[in-house]
């Protein structure tokens, strides 16, 4: 046994009937080598296959299995993790997906790091995992995010992680409706450590990973939720347009006196171009931020 403390494992699910039995068996075996006290919390995102029936059967035969059933599909695993952490009672909470790409056997390594005094232990995916397009997108996103944000997210760090109880309590106290685990986790602080591991192929079923367009949507939400750079960009753009405008006007007047252009048409072109560029950027950035604020001020349940 690595520890006598209670471990909770939170697992979001959506159409995972092909994976849950094997996941349960492997988690049970891994648990027996780590602790005598544990619980498994499955958060089902309104699956359309037999996932809910299988989870009910597991809960009936094993009182350490808890099942949270969503009233509808809420779109992604972030809400499953959030719901699971609300109900988890362990001294440490493990977050992992149900498709067995994240091996349950790695949990023992997480627990060892936790016993060394780290409050958060996260898995680092190999940079060679995924398709060429997904690797390129992931690498571009992490570099762009760390450049623009006031946070720093470790490269290729996924949701697969262990959280100490005090970190879970702090996370549960965060009221925002847009739940972005990989951004909220470093924002909380505490002592973090990363462990590299080999991410497997999905064991069974059809992947529910988002499309490129959906990934782009999430990347955009990440940046606007944890960065002031878009607003600083608007301010800088307005400043430099103001600084450069007199030079542009002077150039137009010189060309007008030389008879090369009509000074009125030149000034009008400059003014229209400046206004369009600034307004387009400002409106797009403000629109994205207002959409986030709109969800937050409604104060609906997470």
């Amino acid at each position: 046994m690595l520890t006598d403390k209670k471990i909770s494992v939170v697992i979001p699910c959506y159409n995972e009937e092909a994976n849950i039995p094997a996941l349960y068996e492997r988690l049970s075996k891994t648990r027996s080598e780590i602790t005598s006290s544990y619980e498994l919390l499955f958060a089902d995102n309104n699956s359309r296959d037999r996932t809910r029936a299988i989870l009910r059967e597991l809960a009936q035969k094993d009182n350490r299995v808890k099942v949270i059933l969503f009233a509808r599909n809420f779109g992604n695993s972030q809400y499953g993790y959030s719901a699971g952490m609300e109900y988890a009672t362990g001294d440490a909470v493990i977050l992992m997906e149900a498709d067995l790409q994240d091996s349950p056997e790695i949990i023992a390594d997480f627990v060892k790091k936790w016993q060394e005094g780290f409050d958060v232990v996260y898995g680092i995916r190999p940079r060679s995992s995924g398709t060429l397009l997904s690797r390129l997108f992931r690498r571009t996103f992490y570099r762009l995010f760390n450049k623009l944000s006031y946070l720093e997210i470790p490269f290729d760090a996924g949701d697969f992680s262990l959280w100490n109880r005090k970190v879970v309590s702090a996370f549960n106290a965060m009221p925002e409706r847009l739940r972005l685990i990989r951004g909220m986790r470093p924002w909380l602080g505490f002592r973090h450590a990363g462990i590299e591991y080999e991410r497997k192929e999905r064991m069974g079923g059809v992947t529910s990973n988002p499309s490129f367009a959906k990934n782009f949507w999430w990347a955009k939400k990440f940046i606007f939720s944890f960065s002031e750079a878009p607003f600083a960009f608007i301010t800088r753009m307005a400043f430099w347009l103001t600084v450069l405008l007199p030079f542009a006007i002077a150039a137009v007047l010189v060309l007008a006196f030389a008879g090369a252009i009509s000074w009125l048409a030149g000034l009008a072109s400059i003014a229209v171009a400046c206004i369009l560029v600034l307004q387009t950027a400002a409106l797009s950035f403000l629109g994205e931020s207002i959409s986030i604020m709109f969800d937050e001020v409604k104060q609906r349940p997470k």
Side-chain angles (χ1 to χ4, degrees):
M1 292 285 177
L2 286 175
T3 181
D4 58 352
K5 294 186 177 181
K6 186 175 183 179
I7 304 292
S8 299
V9 184
V10 174
I11 309 159
C13 302
Y14 181 68
N15 294 344
E16 297 289 355
E17 64 177 2
N19 298 316
I20 288 175
L23 173 63
Y24 172 76
E25 293 299 327
R26 288 175 63 179
L27 279 172
S28 298
K29 180 180 178 181
T30 300
R31 183 276 313 167
S32 65
E33 300 169 355
I34 297 174
T35 180
S36 59
S37 180
Y38 80 105
E39 63 180 354
L40 305 180
L41 293 102
F42 293 90
D44 182 73
N45 200 6
N46 201 25
S47 293
R48 300 303 183 186
D49 61 1
R50 292 191 64 255
T51 296
R52 291 195 168 197
I54 294 172
L55 292 177
R56 284 191 172 100
E57 292 172 4
L58 289 177
Q60 287 175 352
K61 76 175 186 179
D62 187 346
N63 60 11
R64 290 165 295 193
V65 174
K66 311 293 178 15
V67 183
I68 303 166
L69 301 178
F70 283 11
R72 66 169 176 85
N73 187 289
F74 282 88
N76 63 82
S77 61
Q78 304 297 294
Y79 298 102
Y81 287 133
S82 294
M85 284 199 276
E86 292 274 359
Y87 286 94
T89 59
D91 298 292
V93 177
I94 306 290
L95 308 184
M96 68 179 300
E97 296 180 9
D99 55 14
L100 286 170
Q101 287 188 277
D102 302 324
S103 300
E105 292 74 20
I106 305 297
I107 293 175
D109 297 326
F110 284 0
V111 172
K112 288 178 182 178
K113 279 291 184 183
W114 175 47
Q115 290 180 313
E116 292 174 12
F118 291 99
D119 300 304
V120 176
V121 185
Y122 52 83
I124 301 175
R125 304 172 180 181
R127 297 197 176 187
S128 58
S129 66
T131 64
L132 178 62
L133 182 61
S134 67
R135 294 199 305 270
L136 178 62
F137 180 84
R138 194 166 67 230
R139 194 173 299 120
T140 302
F141 165 72
Y142 280 108
R143 283 180 169 80
L144 182 62
F145 182 87
N146 287 337
K147 185 175 181 61
L148 297 178
S149 176
Y150 50 77
L151 293 175
E152 184 173 348
I153 297 180
F155 276 30
D156 301 309
D159 293 330
F160 186 33
S161 53
L162 176 150
W163 302 42
N164 195 3
R165 166 49 53 185
K166 61 184 178 183
V167 186
V168 173
S169 298
F171 176 83
N172 289 339
M174 299 176 77
E176 53 256 55
R177 274 67 187 163
L178 184 61
R179 314 297 287 180
L180 301 168
I181 300 291
R182 294 177 213 181
M184 297 166 77
R185 187 173 64 200
W187 185 91
L188 286 167
F190 300 99
R191 295 189 64 200
H192 289 231
I195 292 179
E196 292 188 3
Y197 72 103
E198 182 182 356
R199 200 158 197 255
K200 309 293 186 181
E201 293 295 324
R202 164 178 275 272
M203 179 178 172
V206 179
T207 180
S208 58
N209 286 338
S211 63
F212 178 81
K214 194 65 175 178
N215 275 323
F216 181 80
W217 184 89
W218 274 110
K220 182 177 59 173
K221 292 295 182 184
F222 254 104
I223 292 172
F224 276 87
S225 295
F226 296 100
S227 174
E228 298 171 357
F231 303 106
F233 176 77
I234 295 173
T235 303
R236 285 196 296 268
M237 182 182 291
F239 171 78
W240 284 111
L241 285 175
T242 303
V243 169
L244 296 175
L245 191 58
F247 296 98
I249 292 173
V252 168
L253 292 176
V254 169
L255 292 172
F257 281 121
I261 62 171
S262 166
W263 68 271
L264 184 60
L267 289 177
S269 299
I270 291 175
V272 170
C274 291
I275 291 171
L276 283 176
V277 170
L278 183 57
Q279 283 190 341
T280 301
L283 288 174
S284 63
F285 293 162
L286 289 174
E288 188 61 43
S289 299
I290 290 171
S291 71
I292 295 174
M293 287 187 276
F294 180 64
D295 282 336
E296 299 297 338
V297 299
K298 286 184 287 191
Q299 293 291 294
R300 291 175 179 169
K302 289 178 287 188

